[in-house]
Amino acid sequence: MENKIIHDVNITGITVHNIDSSSGIFVGINNANYWTSQLKANQGFGPLSSSQAIQNINVVVDNDCIDAPIENNVQIPNRQDFIGVDVKKADEAALVNHHNIIQEINNIDVDAINVFSMDTNAAISVGENVLDGWSAHSKRNEGTGRSMGITEQILNTNIIMDQDIIDAQMNDVKITK
């Protein structure tokens, strides 16, 4: 494996319209391990981006007996408390498994990061970060999905019927080895 040393990273700007669940912008040496995301979504009319929606009737009927049971069992390796621990040394074993990993960055210069929308469990990480075991689980009923950009909605009707007996039961268990 070839060790690389980068002395300067200069980024003029990063513009992102949407960072979805369990996603991110990572600049530098970042370890995002054991992330999970589970989603159940019902939409009468999907997402809109720089659009116009006029006189729509959106109906979502979601009356299951048990709706969106989410079982998430993640096994995360046992780590030391990172207070006072050199992160490079703590994560060296994880980095060795990747080819052409940048081992050292002396300077990261980011002029601007513009994000218009971030969803659950999204991240913007600059520098050296360890982001282990993030979980995002959700159930959504939306008459009209997310609106992004310049979106105009006129005289729309959204009807959502979600008469579940058990709705969005989530069991998120993290097990450390």
Side-chain angles (χ1 to χ4, degrees), residues 39-44 60-64 67 138-145 159-164 167:
L39 166 69
K40 185 213 179 193
N42 294 326
Q43 297 176 338
V60 175
V61 179
D62 183 34
N63 50 358
D64 306 315
D67 193 13
S138 63
K139 184 234 177 180
R140 298 177 186 160
N141 286 333
E142 301 170 334
T144 301
I159 300 169
I160 299 172
M161 292 180 281
D162 184 22
Q163 302 164 339
D164 306 311
D167 194 9

Side-chain angles (χ1 to χ4, degrees), residues 65-170:
C65 190
I66 298 176
D67 193 13
I70 295 174
E71 182 78 28
N72 184 43
N73 296 312
V74 177
Q75 292 188 359
I76 300 172
N78 195 10
R79 290 178 171 264
Q80 297 176 17
D81 184 9
F82 283 102
I83 297 173
V85 175
D86 185 348
V87 175
K88 283 184 187 177
K89 289 180 182 177
D91 281 339
E92 187 175 322
L95 293 174
V96 167
N97 294 328
H98 300 285
H99 296 289
N100 298 323
I101 293 294
I102 298 168
Q103 296 296 320
E104 181 179 341
I105 298 176
N106 292 335
N107 183 33
I108 298 175
D109 184 18
V110 180
D111 290 340
I113 298 176
N114 298 307
V115 178
F116 300 117
S117 171
M118 290 180 67
D119 208 336
T120 306
N121 219 36
I124 298 173
S125 299
V126 178
E128 293 184 30
N129 300 285
V130 177
L131 309 165
D132 283 348
W134 285 28
S135 296
H137 314 294
S138 63
K139 184 234 177 180
R140 298 177 186 160
N141 286 333
E142 301 170 334
T144 301
R146 285 188 271 177
S147 296
M148 295 167 277
I150 298 172
T151 301
E152 185 177 21
Q153 297 188 43
I154 301 171
L155 298 173
N156 295 313
T157 302
N158 295 310
I159 300 169
I160 299 172
M161 292 180 281
D162 184 22
Q163 302 164 339
D164 306 311
I165 293 172
I166 299 173
D167 194 9
Q169 179 180 355
M170 297 180 197

Side-chain angles (χ1 to χ4, degrees), residues 14-19 25 113-117:
I14 299 171
T15 300
V16 177
H17 289 279
N18 183 41
I19 301 176
I25 297 173
I113 298 176
N114 298 307
V115 178
F116 300 117
S117 171

